[in-house]
Amino acid sequence: MKVLEMSQWGTALGSRDLGEKVRSELLRKMELQKQPIALSFDGVFVVSSSFADECFGKLIAAIGPSQFKECFVITNLIDKNLKLILNKAVNKRLVKEHV
């Protein structure tokens, strides 16, 4: 399994612009890889709601939760607050897309 270190974009992932850039990179890698990609959050200490929505919310809304689970595995996301921010952004985006 290929590992993609989210910390390559910084220890604080905060802006929509960065979220858009990372989402584009994840889509590109998803198309190139034939196996799941581990998204490691080791060394990432802050994730803003804006980044989470732009990167993960829009990505999951575009490809669907099942394809996301087939293509990506999130690892080293130990901080409960970061998990909460990511989950909230994804859930909010999925509800928004279906209204």
Side-chain angles (χ1 to χ4, degrees):
M1 182 177 299
K2 181 167 174 49
V3 177
L4 185 64
E5 298 289 341
M6 296 299 292
S7 62
Q8 71 180 294
W9 289 287
T11 59
L13 306 175
S15 71
R16 281 199 177 273
D17 287 344
L18 181 60
E20 183 179 7
K21 178 180 175 180
V22 174
R23 177 172 32 91
S24 295
E25 182 68 14
L26 294 179
L27 282 168
R28 190 179 70 72
K29 292 208 180 278
M30 182 183 85
E31 291 170 3
L32 295 173
Q33 292 294 317
K34 300 296 181 222
Q35 61 183 356
I37 301 166
L39 303 176
S40 173
F41 278 80
D42 190 33
V44 175
F45 301 105
V46 176
V47 175
S48 74
S49 298
S50 297
F51 175 89
D53 176 55
E54 193 67 39
C55 183
F56 294 102
K58 287 185 177 181
L59 177 63
I60 292 172
I63 67 172
S66 59
Q67 187 175 2
F68 181 85
K69 288 177 186 175
E70 288 174 21
C71 297
F72 299 103
V73 177
I74 294 180
T75 64
N76 300 316
L77 186 60
I78 297 164
D79 186 307
K80 289 180 182 178
N81 290 324
L82 296 184
K83 284 182 188 177
L84 181 65
I85 290 167
L86 289 174
N87 285 330
K88 265 182 141 174
V90 169
N91 290 332
K92 198 173 185 179
R93 177 61 61 174
L94 290 176
V95 167
K96 189 184 243 184
E97 296 292 320
H98 289 95
V99 172

